[in-house]
Amino acid sequence: QVQLVESGGGLVQPGGSLRLSCAASGSISSIYNMGWYRQAPGKQRELVATVATGGGSTNYTDAVKGRFTISRDNAKTTVYLQMNSLKPEDTAVYYCNVKRRSTYAYTGFSVSYEYWGQGTQVTVSS
């Protein structure tokens, strides 16, 4: 029940910059985490960065620390990934990720749901 629309991918030279955007719509009131993952050819999908919608805490993979910055808007419905000092090894399909939690009133039992965007290609090459 959450739809994600990604934008901002493209082709850049090493050392260049890109800014990815992901807008969420639908059942957004219970979203507790938003982030970005990436998948290169022949590799598993890996975490890039996440931000918690509650306290705003962030998490980055070591490969992008100091170069990438994740952020969200005031409404907490859009997440951004500012990518600076891009390297060829950053080339991958980047996927927006959203996590939502529902709690059932009768029992207090909670269930988490995960949603993915369609992916946007980022290519870093000279």
Side-chain angles (χ1 to χ4, degrees):
Q1 297 183 1
V2 173
Q3 295 79 44
L4 305 176
V5 179
E6 300 162 316
S7 62
L11 172 65
V12 297
Q13 295 182 346
S17 298
L18 284 174
R19 190 189 189 210
L20 306 183
S21 299
C22 175
S25 62
S27 300
I28 61 175
S29 62
S30 298
I31 292 174
Y32 66 90
N33 191 276
M34 307 179 75
W36 293 92
Y37 292 69
R38 66 185 181 186
Q39 186 169 22
K43 296 183 178 180
Q44 297 293 316
R45 188 173 299 183
E46 65 176 353
L47 168 74
V48 178
T50 62
V51 58
T53 58
S57 61
T58 58
N59 183 40
Y60 297 90
T61 186
D62 288 342
V64 307
K65 288 181 178 178
R67 300 187 297 119
F68 292 9
T69 302
I70 189 169
S71 62
R72 51 175 170 80
D73 65 359
N74 292 332
K76 296 184 287 188
T77 57
T78 303
V79 63
Y80 306 92
L81 186 68
Q82 179 66 49
M83 304 184 294
N84 299 324
S85 302
L86 283 162
K87 304 175 180 179
E89 50 263 44
D90 295 318
T91 296
V93 177
Y94 284 70
Y95 297 90
C96 181
N97 174 267
V98 167
K99 293 181 173 64
R100 180 176 67 90
R101 180 182 293 116
S102 295
T103 301
Y104 296 89
Y106 287 136
T107 63
F109 182 75
S110 295
V111 178
S112 294
Y113 301 90
E114 191 172 27
Y115 304 89
W116 295 94
Q118 79 283 358
T120 183
Q121 178 70 47
V122 172
T123 302
V124 185
S125 177
S126 60

